[in-house]
Amino acid sequence: MLTYSQKLLRGLHLSDSRILTVLPLLTLKSFETGDVILEKDCSVNSWSCVVSGFVAASVQLESGKRLPVHIFGQDEWFGEQSLLTNQSCHFDYTSLTPVELIAMPRSCFDKALLDDQAFAQFLLSLVAYRAQQHGDMLTLMRLGSSPLQVAMGLAQFVETSTQKMFSSSVALFPNTVDIPISQHHLADYCGVSRTLFSEYIQHLSLAGWLKLRYGGIELKSVQTWRIFAQRQRKRKIVNSKPTIQDLLKDMSAANAEIGPYRFPNLLSTRVSKLERS
């Protein structure tokens, strides 16, 4: 039976002989919430993969706060940009939750890149995908209204939790994604005030797209969130100032693409609201 680490390396399209060489050199690291994993301008000596939890690539503000610009979830690797360019770290990498990482030494990364064509092609696809994702997110988050910043910020957690570049099977996707992060920190990530963040997620909660709980948020209907984000990116003309009502309509339209029986919570929510009225 394959171990977790073996499956992880196979997902990188490494050869069997390369996997046997790399496996003994992998190291496991643990971090608590708020720990700095890599500091900006530091030397990057390994390629890291998130085993559990969420890691943020952040920039530090004058106030001392860190503003996350990208999120990495389970089975996602980070740090390849510095390894490929032989430059120091571009961001602060911090743990948003308790995190476990598997680290591959730089020497293993470099040898695989030179000798394993399938791995090099995988890495090229990964870098191209992230460049496109970063560009899209920067456009939407910079030009967009506060409701759009919140919706797309939350959608990125869904994409991070379900992104499997080597598998397109929808059956592998969970129906919900749990974000064990406080609303205060999520508001910072989305670039809005805590008050505005709370207002917009209340609307999303009433519509049935998420569930509020102590210390976190549970996003419902993963496929709907993914389709919603894709539709926002693919618009030929960007609607930069949608209201929360506009976005709720977009969520309903995205849900309609996957059929009427894939999201029973929406119906039950509407029934309960009618009963209360």
Side-chain angles (χ1 to χ4, degrees), residues 195-211:
T195 300
L196 285 177
F197 182 81
S198 178
E199 176 186 344
Y200 299 139
I201 62 173
Q202 288 291 341
H203 284 281
L204 289 164
S205 176
L206 285 174
W209 302 117
L210 60 81
K211 180 180 179 180

Side-chain angles (χ1 to χ4, degrees), residues 114-252:
L114 290 174
D115 299 336
D116 289 14
Q117 183 178 359
F119 172 68
Q121 291 175 337
F122 171 87
L123 195 61
L124 182 63
S125 297
L126 177 64
V127 170
Y129 168 79
R130 285 184 174 168
Q132 180 182 4
Q133 187 182 46
H134 287 175
D136 292 340
M137 287 300 295
L138 283 173
T139 299
L140 290 168
M141 300 296 273
R142 181 180 176 84
L143 300 178
S145 62
S146 295
L148 183 59
Q149 288 177 283
V150 170
M152 288 301 294
L154 294 176
Q156 191 178 25
F157 279 92
V158 169
E159 294 181 315
T160 294
S161 299
T162 58
Q163 173 61 27
K164 302 288 184 182
M165 292 193 66
F166 45 87
S167 176
S168 59
S169 174
V170 174
L172 296 177
F173 294 160
N175 192 50
T176 63
V177 166
D178 186 64
I179 308 176
I181 303 172
S182 69
Q183 292 184 25
H184 173 75
H185 287 102
L186 288 174
D188 286 344
Y189 170 66
C190 294
V192 301
S193 69
R194 172 70 173 81
T195 300
L196 285 177
F197 182 81
S198 178
E199 176 186 344
Y200 299 139
I201 62 173
Q202 288 291 341
H203 284 281
L204 289 164
S205 176
L206 285 174
W209 302 117
L210 60 81
K211 180 180 179 180
L212 303 176
R213 64 170 181 76
Y214 179 77
I217 292 175
E218 181 182 277
L219 301 180
K220 299 184 176 182
S221 187
V222 160
Q223 288 176 258
T224 300
W225 280 98
R226 286 173 60 88
I227 294 171
F228 165 80
Q230 291 166 4
R231 286 164 63 111
Q232 295 296 324
R233 292 193 182 97
K234 290 179 179 179
R235 290 180 186 272
K236 290 185 178 180
I237 300 177
V238 176
N239 178 13
S240 62
K241 303 299 180 184
T243 65
I244 188 63
Q245 288 75 24
D246 294 331
L247 296 174
L248 291 175
K249 291 178 182 177
D250 288 342
M251 290 289 288
S252 295

Side-chain angles (χ1 to χ4, degrees), residues 78-93:
F78 64 90
E80 69 281 343
Q81 185 177 13
S82 295
L83 297 177
L84 290 170
T85 60
N86 200 29
Q87 295 180 357
S88 58
C89 193
H90 289 72
F91 300 106
D92 289 327
Y93 287 86

